[in-house]
Amino acid sequence: MHRLSLLAALLHPSQLRDALRPHRGGPSTRDALGGALRCGASVALAFLAVAALGRQDLAGYASLGALASLYGRSSGYAWRLRLMAVVGAALATAVAATSALAAAHAPVVAELAVLTLLAAGATAGAVALRTGPPGATILVFAAGAGTAAASDAADVAARALAVAGGAVVACLVCTGGRVVDRGPRAAEPAPRVRDVVRAGTAGGAALAPTASVAVAAALAGSVAAAAGWGHPAWAVMGAAAVLQGAHVRHMGVRALQRAAGTAAGVAIALPLLGADLPFWAVAALVVVLQTATELVVARHYGVAMLTITPMALLMTSLGAPLDPARLALDRALDTAAGAVVGLLVAVVAARPEHAGPVAPATAGTPAVPTTPRPGHSPAAASPAAH
């Protein structure tokens, strides 16, 4: 019976009002600006590095590695470095795994199986390490990028190295302030990773979302593949992102924001994709869009999708020329399918205590888990994920 009540609540007009309402909490303007500039600088330097090596075709992969800068933003330098190193290694591994499948011309079912395992594993890892947003979604995005056609083992290795290099750049940029920073963040000791995992899994709550993510990822990817859409990883990512909500009503808000924001973002991306912009123009746009995303994502997830969508599509276009209209349509349809499937799985799997407050959730409800991570201030957490 509570599932029928949940469905009724998800269809209530107040859900739309909540999806339109900006979040009043989140990080301070100074913290948001600092995080945005560090992320933008990491992506920009990653682009410069691969271009200097004459491998502009790897720019998208290097920029993916640079997105490790999104993790540990409010933590002390020592823990931030450890967390970013773990994330960077995970991103490189995910890209290597899916690129190897692409090089081997593996069937779609094998690709979906690996994407599902990566989505579930990344969710478990993000919860256990208490990373906060963006959680597992960046790893799924990276894995999806790896599914692009690869010629041989050398191509696979080059992609993985580009991702790892981008992560190294992010680590240097995001911890470089330690040299001049004498505040408490610089002096804070780093906990051991295994201790954080133990703390995160205490009480058996940490791995609870993993089964739902696995089911939703498999279903969403299968729907996208069966429909003939070209990027089922985006459907997997959409399902995983929606399931990061604190409770089902909050997930409904996230689904609305992600699907509608992506559709609007596609309209922005289409003329950019069709303009046949030179490499440096695309690189500059990606940096600007990523920086803007970090400035607005904590205030409104749907608005952030207006910059996330064209940024993701431009990054995808760097690897190989693709039909702009098809690419944009795939993004909109895959994302919508992932959001719907993720929400349906959440409703089916929900227990009464997961329904959320009587009044539908606002977009700013904090994502699971709510336990602060080492060196992290709960007030600084962003409610959204890419």
Side-chain angles (χ1 to χ4, degrees):
M1 183 63 70
H2 73 279
R3 291 182 178 86
L4 293 177
S5 299
L6 272 179
L7 286 172
L10 290 172
L11 295 173
H12 195 276
S14 58
Q15 285 287 101
L16 178 59
R17 291 196 297 269
D18 285 336
L20 295 172
R21 184 180 299 122
H23 177 45
R24 297 183 181 275
S28 66
T29 301
R30 178 180 177 180
D31 285 345
L33 180 60
L37 292 177
R38 287 192 296 271
C39 183
S42 299
V43 173
L45 290 174
F47 275 123
L48 288 172
V50 293
L53 294 172
R55 293 300 305 267
Q56 294 183 357
D57 58 307
L58 296 176
Y61 295 100
S63 60
L64 279 172
L67 294 183
S69 57
L70 298 174
Y71 295 82
R73 287 169 288 185
S74 300
S75 303
Y77 288 113
W79 173 248
R80 182 189 300 174
L81 178 59
R82 290 190 180 185
L83 180 58
M84 289 175 63
V86 171
V87 170
L91 290 171
T93 301
V95 168
T98 53
S99 295
L101 290 177
H105 304 289
V108 174
V109 65
E111 177 185 308
L112 290 177
V114 170
L115 287 171
T116 297
L117 289 173
L118 287 172
T123 298
V127 176
L129 288 172
R130 293 177 288 172
T131 67
T137 53
I138 299 299
L139 187 137
V140 179
F141 180 41
T147 62
S151 56
D152 51 28
D155 199 9
V156 173
R159 291 180 181 183
L161 285 173
V163 175
V168 170
V169 168
C171 288
L172 293 173
V173 169
C174 294
T175 61
R178 188 173 189 174
V179 176
V180 294
D181 191 351
R182 303 302 179 187
R185 183 173 295 178
E188 182 184 78
R192 292 180 296 180
V193 172
R194 67 181 183 182
D195 291 337
V196 177
V197 173
R198 286 173 180 171
T201 56
L207 303 183
T210 308
S212 294
V213 169
V215 172
L219 289 175
S222 298
V223 168
W229 302 331
H231 297 80
W234 289 342
V236 173
M237 183 173 62
V242 165
L243 286 168
Q244 287 188 52
H247 46 71
V248 177
R249 286 172 178 166
H250 180 220
M251 294 175 192
V253 169
R254 288 178 65 82
L256 281 171
Q257 291 175 332
R258 189 169 185 89
T262 297
V266 160
I268 297 172
L270 263 175
L272 298 176
L273 293 169
D276 195 23
L277 298 171
F279 170 80
W280 289 112
V282 174
L285 278 171
V286 169
V287 171
V288 170
L289 290 168
Q290 179 62 57
T291 304
T293 295
E294 297 312 306
L295 288 174
V296 303
V297 69
R299 303 302 179 192
H300 200 285
Y301 187 39
V303 172
M305 295 307 299
L306 300 179
T307 54
I308 290 172
T309 302
M311 176 190 67
L313 293 177
L314 286 169
M315 289 171 67
T316 302
S317 71
L318 285 169
L322 298 166
D323 176 48
R326 177 62 187 271
L327 186 65
L329 183 61
D330 281 351
R331 179 73 180 194
L333 293 175
D334 285 332
T335 299
V340 171
V341 170
L343 192 57
L344 290 175
V345 170
V347 171
V348 171
R351 296 193 296 270
E353 62 269 26
H354 295 162
V358 175
T362 65
T365 306
V368 180
T370 56
T371 305
R373 58 189 182 275
H376 172 70
S377 169
S382 163
H386 292 193

